[in-house]
Amino acid sequence: VQLQASGGGLVQAGGSLRLSCAISDLSPYAVGWFRQAPGKERELVAAAGWSAGATVYADSVKGRFTISRDNDKNTVSLQMDSLKPEDSAVYYCAAGGATWYARLGSRDPDYLGQGTLVTVSS
């Protein structure tokens, strides 16, 4: 499975960015976005299962970020609004099976793509 993330960049606090991830074969997998800031551990930001509305968000991004998947286009997106400087990090898209999705936060995804850098200036 190939994952290619894009859409990172520099934005001012309060602004928006939309990250996209192209996945070679999306439909069998749950998907997610992780981020890692310098000196910090990687954290799960959002995840989406197979059913509409089956989404999970970190408390720090609830109400500001929205994950979506398009199985027809094999893409996963992360819409990030009301960005804060503490959202600055390298963002990674991920994919995994049912076991990973059932144990989010305690298990590594099956697949992790290369990252895209998001920088939010104050």
Side-chain angles (χ1 to χ4, degrees), residues 99-113:
T99 301
W100 169 67
Y101 189 68
R103 300 177 182 177
L104 288 172
S106 61
R107 186 182 176 95
D108 288 338
D110 298 327
Y111 304 98
L112 192 68

Side-chain angles (χ1 to χ4, degrees), residues 2 19 23 29 47 50-51 53 57 66 68-69 75 79-80 85 93 96 101 103 115-118 121:
Q2 304 293 322
L19 305 183
I23 302 180
Y29 300 103
W50 294 266
S51 302
Y57 295 94
T66 304
S68 60
R69 61 186 292 162
T75 58
Q79 177 66 39
M80 306 186 294
C93 60
Y101 189 68
R103 300 177 182 177
T116 185
L117 178 63
V118 172
S121 62

Side-chain angles (χ1 to χ4, degrees), residues 11-68:
V11 64
Q12 288 188 331
S16 299
L17 276 177
R18 186 176 181 86
L19 305 183
S20 294
C21 180
I23 302 180
S24 55
D25 185 13
L26 174 58
S27 58
Y29 300 103
V31 292
W33 288 91
F34 288 81
R35 69 184 179 188
Q36 187 166 21
K40 295 187 177 181
E41 293 187 354
R42 188 178 67 200
E43 64 171 339
L44 178 68
V45 174
W50 294 266
S51 302
T55 54
V56 176
Y57 295 94
D59 288 342
S60 58
V61 307
K62 281 182 181 176
R64 300 188 298 121
F65 289 12
T66 304
I67 187 172
S68 60

